[in-house]
Amino acid sequence: MIKVVTRLEAEGNFTTRGNARAVQVLLNVVKKFQEQGDIEKAMKHLRDMNIILNIGREKALMSEKAYDIVQTDVDHLLGSDLALHQKAEASSVESARPDLSPDQAVDGIYGTRWSSNYTDDSWFTVDLGEVKDFDTIVIDWEAARARTFKILVSNDKAQWTNVMDQDGIIEGQDGKQTIRLTTTTARYVKLQGLQRATPYGYSFYAFEVHKRF
């Protein structure tokens, strides 16, 4: 990952040398503890990386490309995607493509995806297996994204609560969309579509749930 950061810096994806250096220093510390077999300390510093990446993104010290690449690698090393390989369900699957089933949004395989029928009120749900804490949701949209949607949570799949204040609506974004929450506790997480951004349904390559902070 250190080589990746060096390459991203050379491509101009960090606005300051200091920010790239901070990421590299922390990665070197992680590597040192990994080599020493001190996995607990390595994981602690990887979690600290979440904070550095978040600050870098919010203050525009790094590009979205750099953030997405490094954050994805950190998440992978931490094994922090609570939705990975969990049971996923959806209101529908695109009628012409029955192979684009909801489980493919949580299979961890690059390029597979879920796609719904061409209706605005389609939904997608993942069961985390048990009640868990999380604070970040990442949706990797295909071109057929949502214009607007809600994220709802539940412990019983019967009573749902919006994760946003005042029943807030989220606007979809092209590509990988990161939604940060106050720490939320639930077993089921649902994307409830409101309006499509294209004539097609909703489709995404990945739906991830993380506890990053």
Side-chain angles (χ1 to χ4, degrees), residues 18-84:
N19 189 247
R21 179 63 178 161
V23 173
Q24 290 167 329
V25 166
L26 194 50
L27 286 174
N28 277 314
V29 172
V30 171
K31 182 180 179 182
K32 180 189 73 172
F33 284 125
Q34 287 176 325
E35 291 172 346
Q36 293 174 351
D38 195 334
I39 303 303
E40 183 177 346
K41 287 185 178 178
M43 290 300 181
K44 176 188 179 299
H45 284 83
L46 275 173
R47 287 190 288 272
D48 290 343
M49 178 71 75
N50 286 328
I51 298 173
I52 289 178
L53 292 174
N54 191 48
I55 292 172
R57 186 188 193 210
E58 289 185 346
K59 294 188 175 182
L61 300 176
M62 65 177 68
S63 69
E64 285 293 323
K65 175 183 177 180
Y67 174 84
D68 285 340
I69 290 174
V70 180
Q71 184 68 73
T72 297
D73 285 347
V74 170
D75 287 340
H76 176 73
L77 290 171
L78 285 171
S80 68
D81 182 8
L82 304 176
L84 185 63

Side-chain angles (χ1 to χ4, degrees), residues 125-144:
T125 299
V126 62
D127 177 359
L128 303 182
E130 60 184 2
V131 174
K132 294 183 179 180
D133 294 339
F134 52 91
D135 53 31
T136 307
I137 293 172
V138 180
I139 305 168
D140 190 0
W141 292 103
E142 198 252 356

Side-chain angles (χ1 to χ4, degrees), residues 109-127:
I109 300 174
Y110 178 78
T112 60
R113 62 187 174 97
W114 165 67
S115 184
S116 75
N117 274 335
Y118 303 172
T119 56
D120 283 328
D121 62 349
S122 298
W123 54 262
F124 171 96
T125 299
V126 62
D127 177 359

